[in-house]
Amino acid sequence: MSDHTNPEAVTVYVVDDDAGMLESTQWLLESVGLRVEAYSDGRKFLDAVDARKAGCVILDVRMPGLGGLNVQEELQKRDLELPIIFVSGHADVPIVVRAFKSGAFDFIEKPFNEQLLLDSVQQALQEHPPARPAVRSDQDLTALLDTLTRRERDVFLPLAKGYTSREIADQLEVSVKTIDLYRSRVMKRLGAERLPDVTGTAIGAGLVDPLDLRGDRD
């Protein structure tokens, strides 16, 4: 079993030889706050994949050189337990059967619905979460907060201070629904089950003054 020595480093790998598809998929995933590493070649992906990072792989089936099923086999030989979401414009039955028999998480035909892919990625990450660290030093907290994207950090600080989703939405000039999405992502990334956990993380990292909190929390 792979050793996730940096359990907060969650990455979605995208491997596709179609440059347009690779770029659009990367943009789609990053637009919802996910960390993405994109590769146009199966071998380059295998050379770069980090056993310490949890996450998942979006993998094209048919690629020049090393195809998706061969990449899957190589990952298994290395005992890397990243869930694989296959995408293909040629989803013939034998390939689908072989992929699932070898442990594929999902198989999506191109052109795919964006929400369908996002849902599959979210489910893969939820069912294969990174282990949570037992103890967090100041250095651990800093490293943990560094995993937040810029947008997540914009939501994290006012959330930690006790602002409501509506107030944060007004501050950032976005919808409450968007803030609720980022709020859930911040809490998941920090391993926080309740809002006070978010506040505690911010105080522990020296980013929030415990005397400067709002009493009204949603």
Side-chain angles (χ1 to χ4, degrees):
M1 184 175 294
S2 59
D3 176 21
H4 293 161
T5 55
N6 183 7
E8 299 300 332
V10 178
T11 301
V12 180
Y13 296 97
V14 183
V15 189
D16 197 318
D17 66 307
D18 182 328
M21 182 64 70
L22 187 67
E23 183 178 6
S24 63
T25 303
Q26 181 176 3
W27 182 90
L28 171 66
L29 296 167
E30 289 180 343
S31 74
V32 295
L34 293 169
R35 292 178 175 273
V36 180
E37 289 187 21
Y39 299 92
S40 59
D41 177 271
R43 180 58 61 189
K44 290 179 180 177
F45 159 66
L46 289 171
D47 289 342
V49 64
D50 191 338
R52 296 170 298 174
K53 294 181 181 179
C56 67
V57 185
I58 298 173
L59 184 58
D60 188 23
V61 172
R62 295 181 185 272
M63 294 182 290
L66 206 61
L69 294 173
N70 300 119
V71 172
Q72 181 186 35
E73 290 174 1
E74 184 61 31
L75 287 174
Q76 290 173 338
K77 288 178 183 177
R78 299 184 187 184
D79 206 15
L80 294 180
E81 299 179 349
L82 290 169
I84 297 174
I85 300 168
F86 278 107
V87 292
S88 177
H90 312 275
D92 53 274
V93 174
I95 289 179
V96 176
V97 171
R98 181 180 167 189
F100 278 113
K101 279 188 175 181
S102 297
F105 182 82
D106 202 355
F107 200 113
I108 300 176
E109 287 190 69
K110 295 179 181 179
F112 50 76
N113 176 278
E114 291 185 348
Q115 192 59 51
L116 180 66
L117 181 66
L118 290 176
D119 289 345
S120 184
V121 168
Q122 192 66 29
Q123 187 177 358
L125 296 178
Q126 287 174 351
E127 293 186 14
H128 298 78
R132 288 167 61 180
V135 179
R136 288 174 182 164
S137 64
D138 290 346
Q139 192 173 14
D140 291 333
L141 286 176
T142 300
L144 182 59
L145 292 173
D146 283 345
T147 68
L148 296 177
T149 65
R150 181 179 59 81
R151 294 187 187 93
E152 287 168 348
R153 201 174 181 87
D154 286 343
V155 172
F156 163 69
L157 285 174
L159 184 65
K161 291 179 180 180
Y163 286 89
T164 66
S165 292
R166 167 61 67 184
E167 289 169 330
I168 300 172
D170 289 343
Q171 290 174 19
L172 301 179
E173 299 182 338
V174 296
S175 70
V176 174
K177 184 177 180 181
T178 297
I179 295 301
D180 284 339
L181 173 66
Y182 279 106
R183 167 174 157 165
S184 66
R185 293 191 181 282
V186 166
M187 294 182 71
K188 180 179 178 182
R189 207 181 285 279
L190 298 181
E193 297 181 0
R194 304 172 303 123
L195 285 177
D197 296 334
V198 176
T199 301
T201 298
I203 293 173
L207 297 175
V208 170
D209 184 343
L211 301 178
D212 187 30
L213 301 177
R214 292 168 61 86
D216 224 4
R217 300 180 65 85
D218 63 343

